[in-house]
Amino acid sequence: MSRNHSRPLSPHLSHWRWGANMLVSILHRMTGVGLATVGGLLLAGWFFAAASGEESYACFMGLLTVESGAINIVGAVLGIGLSWAFFTHLFNGLRHFVMDAGAGYELQTNRRWAIAVVAGAIVATLVLWGWLLWPAIMGLVGGEG
């Protein structure tokens, strides 16, 4: 099949200047897939382990926690990663909701909201995990929680 040379080719990604709106568009897709697959598999595994008895549940929890019940590195990476993905997906979904109402299409407004999505997700993740780990942090520094 021959190409019509009078029609322009669609520009490749290298022709576009990267912006925050492009980043959050890609992040929205990635976090949606991550939440659905990783989060879904973890949730299903947790349900299956809980339904299979005490030994299976202890084995599953042993993958994410240490013997004292505190979170281990695998649990921390999965927990922090999934909560960041959740907040990124949530805030970008709210951004799209506003855009679906017809607002926020101006270039500078769109850029500011895209930056706010990224920054807000990071801040919300830090606040959540700071709150969750506050007793452990206070125990390490010798303060009272």
Side-chain angles (χ1 to χ4, degrees):
M1 179 173 205
S2 66
R3 181 176 79 80
N4 182 353
H5 292 283
S6 63
R7 294 184 55 147
L9 291 175
S10 178
H12 191 266
L13 285 176
S14 63
H15 294 296
W16 296 99
R17 195 173 122 235
W18 270 88
N21 55 344
M22 294 172 79
L23 173 68
V24 294
S25 176
I26 292 168
L27 283 178
H28 192 71
R29 289 168 176 83
M30 288 173 52
T31 56
V33 169
L35 287 169
T37 55
V38 176
L41 288 172
L42 275 174
L43 183 64
W46 183 64
F47 282 148
F48 182 75
S52 297
E54 194 172 316
E55 188 176 313
S56 293
Y57 187 75
C59 182
F60 179 82
M61 292 306 290
L63 298 173
L64 305 173
T65 60
V66 293
E67 201 165 307
S68 67
I71 194 167
N72 66 13
I73 190 72
V74 174
V77 168
L78 288 172
I80 292 169
L82 284 171
S83 57
W84 170 80
F86 169 77
F87 286 125
T88 301
H89 202 75
L90 172 71
F91 294 156
N92 200 37
L94 292 172
R95 176 178 161 265
H96 274 282
F97 182 70
V98 170
M99 290 173 67
D100 287 345
Y105 281 103
E106 299 80 21
L107 290 177
Q108 287 304 315
T109 304
N110 194 339
R111 182 176 179 273
R112 278 193 295 269
W113 277 105
I115 292 169
V117 165
V118 174
I122 292 169
V123 169
T125 303
L126 290 173
V127 168
L128 173 68
W129 282 91
W131 178 72
L132 289 173
L133 297 175
W134 186 254
I137 293 168
M138 293 311 294
L140 288 174
V141 297
E144 293 184 27

